[in-house]
Amino acid sequence: MKTKKLPMSLQTKIIGSNILNTIFIILIFLVISLVIEYKHVEKQMGNQALQLAIAVSAMPTVVSSFEEGDPSKILQPLVNRIRKETGAEFIVIGNIEGVRYAHPDEKKLGLPMVGGDNSQALQGEFYISKAKGSLGKSIRGKGPIRNEEGQIIGVVSVGYLMEDLQEMVFQRGKKIG
């Protein structure tokens, strides 16, 4: 049995076209908003990680721990407490060879830092980087740890996982949509 198509009036076609255009514009606005939000949150997390790295590197306890036989005994509980209080996903401290003295996963203590982005810190710079480490892809604040004489004795890396950033933006996007 054939169904008979009802002719569509010009007014119906215009209304339908306007509705589709409006939905399309809303979707474009939503995508642009999410991209802007992602960039904003990423910058904010990077700056937060950097500021925390600067603060940790300047702590007298952190600096003096490098003079101990096993810096991990001092650094591990200290950075775990800081990490929990600040919400950072990780705070990793390593010596100038990149050997970890503090890490959220204690099994990784004594192993090399991962990510390949320590060179600027070993040259004395504080910076924000994105790299894939042992916990996953992250945005990090990194910098040198200097002793009393100003010599670089280690590296601090503070970070937030990119998947957490994406989830945060996704949740905010759900509120918008």
Side-chain angles (χ1 to χ4, degrees):
M1 178 175 188
K2 279 188 171 181
T3 57
K4 196 173 187 181
K5 263 190 164 178
L6 295 175
M8 224 189 270
S9 71
L10 180 60
Q11 183 179 7
T12 303
K13 289 179 183 178
I14 291 172
I15 290 172
S17 176
N18 285 340
I19 290 172
L20 287 175
N21 286 337
T22 302
I23 291 170
F24 182 70
I25 290 169
I26 289 171
L27 287 174
I28 288 175
F29 173 73
L30 181 61
V31 168
I32 291 170
S33 295
L34 288 175
V35 168
I36 290 169
E37 180 71 13
Y38 182 87
K39 293 290 182 188
H40 174 73
V41 172
E42 180 181 57
K43 184 176 181 179
Q44 187 178 20
M45 286 178 119
N47 287 331
Q48 187 173 338
L50 180 61
Q51 293 306 312
L52 190 51
I54 291 169
V56 169
S57 73
M59 294 176 73
T61 305
V62 170
V63 174
S64 65
S65 71
F66 277 76
E67 296 170 8
E68 300 297 319
D70 185 4
S72 294
K73 286 185 180 179
I74 296 168
L75 292 173
Q76 188 67 11
L78 174 67
V79 298
N80 277 338
R81 190 177 78 241
I82 295 168
R83 184 176 54 81
K84 288 174 185 169
E85 289 175 7
T86 61
E89 188 71 39
F90 62 83
I91 300 174
V92 177
I93 295 178
N95 64 16
I96 57 174
E97 286 85 31
V99 175
R100 296 180 185 125
Y101 291 157
H103 191 279
D105 181 355
E106 288 192 23
K107 295 177 209 153
K108 295 181 180 174
L109 296 177
L111 298 174
M113 295 173 80
V114 179
D117 57 345
N118 284 343
S119 60
Q120 286 177 264
L122 293 170
Q123 294 172 5
E125 295 180 46
F126 284 96
Y127 56 98
I128 298 170
S129 77
K130 285 190 249 180
K132 185 174 183 182
S134 63
L135 299 173
K137 189 168 172 114
S138 60
I139 186 159
R140 312 156 168 217
K142 297 188 80 95
I145 298 171
R146 297 179 184 270
N147 65 13
E148 297 292 321
E149 292 79 39
Q151 298 169 316
I152 297 172
I153 57 173
V155 175
V156 60
S157 180
V158 178
Y160 299 91
L161 294 179
M162 296 303 281
E163 65 186 36
D164 292 343
L165 172 102
Q166 292 163 353
E167 179 63 25
M168 187 183 304
V169 172
F170 177 73
Q171 291 302 324
R172 289 182 183 185
K174 281 178 32 180
K175 290 179 186 176
I176 293 171

